[in-house]
Amino acid sequence: MDDAPAYSPTPRTRATRNRDRVRYDAATVHAILDEGRLCHLGFVADGAPVVLPTLYARVGGVLYLHGSTGAAAMRAARDGGLEVCATVTLTDGLVLARSGMHHSVNYRSVVVRGTARRVSDEAEQRSALDAIVDAVVPGRSADCRPADAKELAQTAVLRLELREVSAKVRTGGVNEEPEDLDLPHWAGVVPVTETIGAPEPDAAMAPGTPLPGYLRTFTGASD
Amino acid sequence: MDDAPAYSPTPRTRATRNRDRVRYDAATVHAILDEGRLCHLGFVADGAPVVLPTLYARVGGVLYLHGSTGAAAMRAARDGGLEVCATVTLTDGLVLARSGMHHSVNYRSVVVRGTARRVSDEAEQRSALDAIVDAVVPGRSADCRPADAKELAQTAVLRLELREVSAKVRTGGVNEEPEDLDLPHWAGVVPVTETIGAPEPDAAMAPGTPLPGYLRTFTGASD
């Protein structure tokens, strides 16, 4: 699935505005999903929309979602599947134009729509949970205690196929009305990035416990 | 409204799990909304959930949402109101426990549910758009060209009252099963913050144009 050249637009994912920002190619979609860590998972409960921040991982053409989305949603996902929309957004910059209306944000987002189903196979559940831990910090799942049977029974994982998918990407500088270019206002882009800080060891750890290699890489630590 | 001590829980916002993380006090809710910039706006379209990243601003007890959410949603918001769920999530840290199951994220989120209505009053629309620009960079709305009549007509703003609101906050270190404390795995928290970079001036600006004071403050620039 990683070699899939592109997702096919559907009536629901076809862009109605800013068409030049929309992408369906798998490379763009997968890169955004792999850089993100939390999605905002939307579903309908008692007829009304609900959106909850949810950890996830992409494995090939599947999104696995951590099932902390409430009992009713989990029952629906187990029984017949739960209609969801999972959206991942990365912010790259604030675009300050000379006109208020052309202010914008440089961002990369992916919207995945479809039916999420609760994973019932234990091996798939285990590998999905490992993938979610590795999506938080690459390499971490091999350096912690795996779930035991009781923990597995308490934890739901949802599986959402990447079929109806679109990405939206805004990059670059300001867009202005030509007649605004001479206005005296400062214009340009303010970059926004996520910064990973220095790891804060748990007080119960033995003093001097070294930082594992995957965490040194992830945090850019020198010790 | 800023002095409101707390929002009242409703059956839909009452926590069913991790109750100790849920807050209804206005100070916590407003601080999270004011630090955020993008919400994830959920609504129902043709019976299915849709979640889109959306700029917003809080003004007192109202959330104003930038109306780039598609024509069908905007029509619904104009005609009878659109049932929405607006969720804002700030990530503060990655919590690496000795067991896979206790991995977590330090985060602060707010979920607002209710009926969004399209703003029709021009003065309210103007002040809402200014507030949204100032939510991106404080002080910016006074330093750009205001919208003209044509731009106002093209831009929808949604108004969502802060009535059915809850916050969720996870802070602190790892939670472990007592029997896991002696496991050899590194445990602790990896902080995550948003970093504002050095402003990148538009090439069409006169060389040497100084950075306005509000942008020096916002970006921590020294020039």
Side-chain angles (χ1 to χ4, degrees), chain B residues 31-54:
Chain B
I32 295 167
L33 291 175
D34 294 353
E35 188 173 331
R37 182 188 302 122
L38 277 176
C39 71
H40 278 80
L41 184 67
F43 56 93
V44 180
D46 297 327
V50 182
V51 179
L52 297 176
T54 304

Side-chain angles (χ1 to χ4, degrees), chain A residues 42 44 58 90 97 100 106 154 176 181 185 223:
Chain A
V44 180
R58 181 185 72 88
L90 308 170
N106 279 340
Q154 287 169 345
E176 304 275 12
L181 281 171
H185 310 300
D223 59 322

Side-chain angles (χ1 to χ4, degrees), chain A residues 12 40 51 87 89 97-98 100-101 103 140 143 145 151 155 180 185-189 191 193 195 197-198 200 202 205, chain B residues 40 48 51 87 89 97-98 100-101 103 140 143 145 151 155 180 185-189 191 193 195 197-198 200 202 205:
Chain A
R12 303 200 304 183
H40 279 80
V51 178
T87 300
T89 307
R98 294 165 182 87
M101 299 303 293
H103 277 62
R140 175 67 186 178
D143 186 25
R145 174 178 68 70
E151 290 172 331
T155 309
D180 287 338
H185 310 300
W186 190 94
V189 176
T193 49
T195 300
E200 301 165 352
D202 181 34
M205 250 194 324
Chain B
H40 278 80
V51 179
T87 299
T89 306
R98 294 163 181 87
M101 299 303 293
H103 277 62
R140 176 67 185 177
D143 187 25
R145 176 178 66 70
E151 289 171 333
T155 309
D180 287 339
H185 311 298
W186 190 94
V189 175
T193 49
T195 300
E200 300 164 352
D202 181 33
M205 252 195 321

